[in-house]
Amino acid sequence: MNSRTFAAFVGPSVFMMLLFIAFPLVSVFKQSFYVTQPIYETVEKETCTPGFLTQTCVTEQVSQPKLDEHGEIITQTQYVGLQSYRNVLEPERAWRAISDGSWHVLSTINFWKALRFTLTFTLITLPLVVGCGLGIAILINNAARAIRGPVIFVSLLPFIITPVIGVLAINWLFRGDGILTAMMEWWLNRDIALFAQAWTIEVLMMLYRVWHVAPFAAIIFYAGLQTVNQDSLESAVIDGATRWQRLKYIVIPHLMPLIIFVAMIHLMDSYRVFEEIVGFSSQGYVISLQWLTFDYLTPDQAGNRSISRASANSMLTMIGVVILLILPLRRTWRDHKGGH
Amino acid sequence: MSSRALRQPFSLRLTSNIFLALWCLIAAFPIFWIVVMSFKSPVDAFDSNALNVIFGPATLGGGKGLSLLDIILGIAVIWVTIAFSTKTLPSMVKSYSKPGQEWFGWVIGVLVVLVSFLVAFFVILPAILSVLNPWFGPLGRDVLGLTTEHYKTVWIDRGFSNNFKNSLIVTTGVVTVSLTVGTLAGYGLARSGSTLAFWILIVALVFRALPHSVLVAGYLPVFINSAEWLAPILGENAPTLYGKPFAVIAVLVAINQPFTIWMLRSFFQNIPAELDEAARVDGCSHFQAFRRVIMPVMWPGVITTGLFSFLLAYNDFLVTALLLDAQNQTMVPAIVGMFNRETTTTDQVVAVAAAVSITAPLIFLVLIFQRQIVSGLTAGAVKG
């Protein structure tokens, strides 16, 4: 295939990715150094209230946005350097908190709070997803052939459901005196409020994520289990290997590439954790990095979006993505060079 | 099939199956439960006693319920429909439709079955039962509380059908455009071994890992001010891209593109290159080879990829919530809005009904396309 035909085939797709992914990235990078805000002017305003004999008048200085001739607010864009980053990170306060060793103060700064949760969430769910996925795959593989189809159908449901709706479904089971909370209260014989402190919400979020992603891991591992070499399993049995040893020395090494694949996908996806915050409406207790950007982008009560802060926060989030991707990219690069 | 050496003792098989049943219960329970809740009056739906939620005494007290006879006949109609569509329908479609145009026969067949089921279930059955129930004494007495009023509230009073229409526009747009663009690119990438192709794939992988909010932060200012900077090109009636479904379609297509090209590429790599080489030897250009030789055999891969594009567009919350205005809102942000705004339990149950409405199509999708979804998941893994 010569380069012109190649360009004709690939062109539209590359064009869309450049226009809607690469270009926004550059513009986000630029935006993070600029702030757009209305120009304020200070005017003297006299407000009078009816009083007895004479009106009571008060003159005060009010700062209000300047309007142009169409009555629209005039805005100006200003280069502010790293100010937005400083607003997001609050380095002085964070540094003082760290040197005092007080996590409590550090977690009052949104960015650090979000970073802490995002990382905890990613690292705790990872082994759970791989473990549960592997377990379910082995169970399905052990079941009679006739019931595998229906079982896979049921297993796909948590994976296919709209994430926000899935979170809401879990939420409705636990919220207030939801049946599962009621059941736990009856079992432990004490009052439980799952949405009154951060850590229980975090546990619920992790449970949801494992419920949502484990089927995906299970399907992939199940496909991998179909290609395990039956002869080596049999010879292992004849050599006297226990079930556990067979799993450890034959099955898991065979599945290793798939385990790495699932782990990579899960790291990328759980680093972007977002729907859980919306569905549990937990912003008062727990927030994530992507949710923070979303929050900056949502108009506040005055209708302003803090685009500049959102951009700075996005850029900081990106650092994590880059770190996440370095290892697999290096491996792919080595494979590619080795292949030629 | 498995050899004697690998045969498992009965106790192990039993334990394994018990755990599998437990997993199925965990997987299906939350979804099953919101379905049950959506049919109950608010008092029952949020009762802390599970049995009250299932049988719905308060709903029953409100005069809405099903008798044993209703349940038996209802299950019978559903069972007949399932049996007909899995056993008789395929052979009927095969014998009545022209060879090569079977998909058309399927569309008509499925529509006929669907319409006749809806008529039988919601029109004929209630009419018959209202006559039969008084005759059967205890069998005809209401035992299970059940009401469809929340669905009526959602779809008719709250204008959810408008959100449904918007979702339909966005998903159709995303699936068509991303498949058209992605198929070409996937084919090109699969057949070219150049370094450039490798780099495109790597960059696509990096793009896949980006949080979507980062991209939206880039779009928002541009979209809101688009009337200004498009004016020199388009003149007076330059559109504001913010709030427009087509802008969201373009954004979602681009976000989905990295995944689409990776997946389609792996499908195209499974189609032997000898096939298009043969066509090239016979004098076809690359495009003709693609159109005449590859297109007829690529549909399984395209359908699978299309399913995943559909899921992305249908499930999206972040992009649609930020880039669409209230008038063009799709279903997911609308439900979140309902959930966050409403405080009374009645409104919560309405939100539950909306959530079930949006989930039902997905369940049907898995029922019909289970094989394709599984093959899509594994295709990405084995190659990626």
Side-chain angles (χ1 to χ4, degrees), chain B residues 104-144:
Chain B
F104 188 65
W106 273 107
V107 170
I108 293 190
V110 169
L111 275 182
V112 169
V113 170
L114 197 69
V115 169
S116 44
F117 171 75
L118 289 179
V119 170
F121 199 77
F122 289 105
V123 182
I124 301 178
L125 202 60
I128 296 177
L129 283 170
S130 62
V131 180
L132 282 186
N133 268 336
W135 283 27
F136 276 81
L139 273 182
R141 208 170 298 138
D142 288 353
V143 287
L144 188 73

Side-chain angles (χ1 to χ4, degrees), chain A residues 74-95:
Chain A
I74 307 175
T75 58
Q76 65 171 3
T77 307
Q78 222 176 5
Y79 177 78
V80 291
L82 292 173
Q83 188 55 47
S84 297
Y85 288 91
R86 243 172 264 137
N87 288 343
V88 171
L89 288 174
E90 301 191 36
E92 291 88 18
R93 260 182 78 198
W95 186 244

